Amino acid sequence: MNREEKTQLLNELNELFSNSEIVVVAHYKGLTVSEVSELRDNIRKAGAGFRVTKNRITRLALKGTKFEGLTDLFTGPTAIAFANDPISACKACVEFAKTNEKLVVLGGAMGTGVLSLAEINKLATIPSLDELRAKIIGLLQAPGAQLARVTKAYSEKSE
């Protein structure tokens, strides 16, 4: 990788960190190409992104961002999941790690705070924003649907 490519990667990562609300850091040692592809697909479906990183360049890209506290986690074969929805990246990584022990979630950061593994696991249990919206819509539609069923049942009995 030449100097221009490194500078471009540094700028891309710095922009990625600036535009994300959450970053989850994980080790992926031992994952096959198909397993990494499956992980990427799962993370994309959840509305997040996944990227294998170069540690030295990533540490440089973290400087001056709200995720600067993650610098110590970048040792070994490291990858990041990132998103604007704080739940999606955590949920996708934790779900994949449950079925494949080769993915080891190390920690992460949300806003300016660093998250431990336990905190990431807690975030992964919270329903995503889309799931919460669906529940609210269901709750709002339920009374109307019940009224329609009762009215229809009453009109069928009176005929």
Side-chain angles (χ1 to χ4, degrees):
M1 193 176 233
N2 65 29
R3 188 172 283 234
E4 286 180 22
E5 291 172 329
K6 288 180 182 178
T7 304
Q8 181 181 358
L9 179 60
L10 179 71
N11 292 335
E12 285 176 19
L13 286 172
N14 194 284
E15 184 178 334
L16 184 141
F17 291 132
S18 298
N19 295 333
S20 298
E21 291 299 316
I22 190 163
V23 173
V24 178
V25 182
H27 279 173
Y28 65 95
K29 186 176 182 178
L31 287 176
T32 64
V33 173
S34 62
E35 289 171 332
V36 172
S37 295
E38 180 186 345
L39 174 60
R40 281 179 206 249
D41 290 344
N42 292 348
I43 289 176
R44 261 191 222 117
K45 287 176 187 172
F50 180 80
R51 188 165 188 164
V52 173
T53 61
K54 291 194 165 289
N55 293 334
R56 188 174 185 292
I57 294 173
T58 305
R59 279 190 228 113
L60 290 172
L62 284 168
K63 288 184 181 170
T65 68
K66 57 189 170 190
F67 301 119
E68 198 166 354
L70 292 175
T71 304
D72 296 338
L73 296 178
F74 288 91
T75 59
T78 311
I80 57 171
F82 52 90
N84 288 328
D85 173 16
I87 308 302
S88 61
C90 294
K91 188 173 283 215
C93 287
V94 169
E95 290 295 319
F96 190 84
K98 283 180 184 175
T99 60
N100 193 328
E101 72 266 354
K102 294 174 189 167
L103 181 74
V104 179
V105 178
L106 301 174
M110 183 170 60
T112 56
V114 176
L115 300 172
S116 68
L117 179 58
E119 291 168 323
I120 288 177
N121 286 331
K122 282 183 186 176
L123 282 174
T125 61
I126 297 173
S128 71
L129 191 57
D130 290 338
E131 291 171 340
L132 290 174
R133 286 179 181 150
K135 286 181 181 182
I136 290 172
I137 290 171
L139 289 171
L140 292 174
Q141 290 178 341
Q146 288 175 340
L147 180 63
R149 281 194 295 275
V150 168
T151 307
K152 183 178 177 186
Y154 180 73
S155 67
E156 288 175 357
K157 285 184 180 178
S158 59
E159 289 178 3

